[in-house]
Amino acid sequence: KLYFCGSSIGTAWKSWKPTSTVFATPGNYFTVAYLAADAEFKWGTFPEQWLGYADFKSLDDQAEAGLAAGSGGNIKVEKAGWYILFVKGKINGEVIDYAFTIYPAQFYVIGGVTGEWNDADANWALTAPADASGEWVSPAFAAGGELRAYVKVPGFDWWKTEFTLYEGKLLWRDEEHNCSGSWSGDVGAEYSVTGAAGQKLYLTIGTETESAEDIGEVK
């Protein structure tokens, strides 16, 4: 995993929020964070490594966030918003080159609770809160069924960046938790969340604590 730490990630300059890996696609890392206007942050291959702007091989602002070099070698965004922080690592001889891209963040639900399997369907997008103190909220479910949900990372199918809720926390699909058909059937009943018609998914992304956990519930 890679990690991010900054002025508006969890507890300012204390939280090292871990990334997740795009499922079955090694070397591609992502996390979601709310960044305030003029927020600055650093990254690392382990907590407290304090790598910065110049340590990325390249930087690409796909969110029109105003990505720039900040003070003390930090990475800075001028515009407040919800963002996907995406890193691609590529082996180059004895080193790894890391390329950084920032995308706008968007969560979706899909599958049984929606009655369809269309990737990035705007009708099933969660509404973003104004900042990290609020909740992402899905539309009311159309039917009962197992929850399938994801954040849309451009260039990847939805199931590459899907998650479930395990003990109230977001658990991202990975090799250990490989949901090829259903969370209940492939991973275990304790990893499966069932929603009923009319219920909604609520997410708090990057809690304002040192752990900066992503949590959620269906109700």
Side-chain angles (χ1 to χ4, degrees):
K1 292 183 179 180
L2 302 180
Y3 300 81
F4 286 95
C5 179
S7 59
S8 61
I9 297 175
T11 300
W13 299 112
K14 289 185 178 180
S15 301
W16 282 88
K17 187 176 183 183
T19 60
S20 299
T21 305
V22 176
F23 176 71
T25 314
N28 293 277
Y29 309 88
F30 69 94
T31 194
V32 177
Y34 177 80
L35 300 178
D38 297 319
E40 298 193 5
F41 57 96
K42 277 190 161 65
W43 65 286
T45 59
F46 55 85
E48 299 191 33
Q49 191 177 18
W50 303 109
L51 299 178
Y53 188 94
D55 297 296
F56 282 123
K57 184 72 173 179
S58 63
L59 296 97
D60 185 5
D61 186 356
Q62 290 291 315
E64 299 182 354
L67 189 64
S71 60
N74 294 337
I75 307 152
K76 178 181 178 179
V77 295
E78 295 178 355
K79 298 179 182 178
W82 283 99
Y83 298 111
I84 295 171
L85 309 181
F86 177 81
V87 179
K88 184 176 183 65
K90 183 178 181 180
I91 296 174
N92 181 8
E94 296 182 355
V95 301
I96 301 176
D97 292 334
Y98 291 99
F100 176 76
T101 305
I102 187 168
Y103 295 108
Q106 186 60 66
F107 288 92
Y108 297 88
V109 289
I110 197 170
V113 298
T114 71
E116 52 92 341
W117 295 89
N118 297 324
D119 197 343
D121 186 336
N123 293 316
W124 293 105
L126 275 67
T127 300
D131 56 37
S133 66
E135 292 179 307
W136 289 78
V137 183
S138 77
F141 299 158
E146 184 179 61
L147 174 71
R148 304 295 291 270
Y150 60 101
V151 65
K152 184 60 181 179
V153 177
F156 298 98
D157 292 329
W158 70 268
W159 49 272
K160 295 259 186 176
T161 52
E162 82 163 305
F163 61 89
T164 188
L165 303 178
Y166 179 69
E167 297 181 347
K169 301 175 185 177
L170 272 67
L171 185 146
W172 298 89
R173 182 173 176 175
D174 58 22
E175 297 297 337
E176 182 181 356
H177 309 94
N178 182 4
C179 170
S180 59
S182 70
W183 287 99
S184 58
D186 299 325
V187 188
E190 67 271 31
Y191 294 92
S192 179
V193 177
T194 301
Q199 290 188 311
K200 299 179 181 181
L201 172 63
Y202 297 82
L203 303 177
T204 300
I205 303 299
T207 55
E208 296 177 314
T209 63
E210 193 162 343
S211 64
E213 290 175 331
D214 298 334
I215 60 176
E217 65 177 324
V218 168
K219 60 182 180 179

